[in-house]
Structure formats: structure tokens, C-alpha cells
Amino acid sequence: MPSILLNQMAGMIDFIENIHFAADVWAGNIQNEMDARYQEKSMLTNLFTEHKFLGWAGLLSIFVAICAIFYFQFQAWEQEDQEQK
């Protein structure tokens, strides 16, 4: 009696392992098909790959604008400190 129960349990374990293996193979195939047809459609990526000058000029202008904001803000703070003295 116990050997029949053990054989049935072993059969169930093999069955579950086969289902798990088949699911992994199926999911892997879907992932590979998705990756093979995927193309980037980002305008930002295109800006740096197709229009290099505009991309880098835009990035430089953003950097200069941020630096100018910090510079003038620090100047305003320094002026306030001078007025308080």
C-alpha cells in the first residue's frame, strides 16, 4: 500500500515538473518574440541619434540655464546678506 502511494506521489511530482518546464519554454518563446520586434520610439533618443547637434545644443542650453538660475539666486542671497550688515 505505501509503495502505491509513493509511486502516485512521484508521478504527480513528475507531472508538475513537466508542466513547469513547458510553461518556462512557452514564456521564453513569447519573450523572445517580443524582444525581436521591439523598436525604440522615443523622441529624446532620436534627438541624440539622428539630430546630434540639436540634442547636444539643447542639453547644453538646459545646463547653462540651470547654472544661471543658481548664479543669480546666490547673487540675490549675497546682496540680502550685505544689506543686513
Side-chain angles (χ1 to χ4, degrees):
M1 184 78 168
S3 64
I4 295 172
L5 186 60
L6 288 175
N7 285 338
Q8 287 178 346
M9 287 176 59
M12 280 295 244
I13 291 172
D14 287 339
F15 179 70
I16 292 170
E17 287 176 354
N18 288 338
I19 289 175
H20 186 263
F21 177 75
D24 282 345
V25 170
W26 180 71
N29 286 338
I30 289 175
Q31 185 65 38
N32 289 339
E33 289 173 8
M34 288 171 42
D35 290 343
R37 285 181 269 163
Y38 177 75
Q39 272 192 321
E40 182 68 36
K41 300 283 186 198
S42 170
M43 291 178 65
L44 185 61
T45 303
N46 289 342
L47 190 62
F48 285 99
T49 57
E50 295 175 7
H51 309 288
K52 290 184 174 148
F53 176 76
L54 292 177
W56 288 108
L59 193 63
L60 180 64
S61 65
I62 291 169
F63 176 74
V64 169
I66 291 171
C67 288
I69 290 169
F70 280 123
Y71 175 77
F72 288 115
Q73 184 61 50
F74 286 134
Q75 291 293 327
W77 287 337
E78 286 294 321
Q79 188 177 10
E80 288 176 7
D81 288 345
Q82 293 296 328
E83 291 173 359
Q84 286 178 358
K85 289 183 181 180

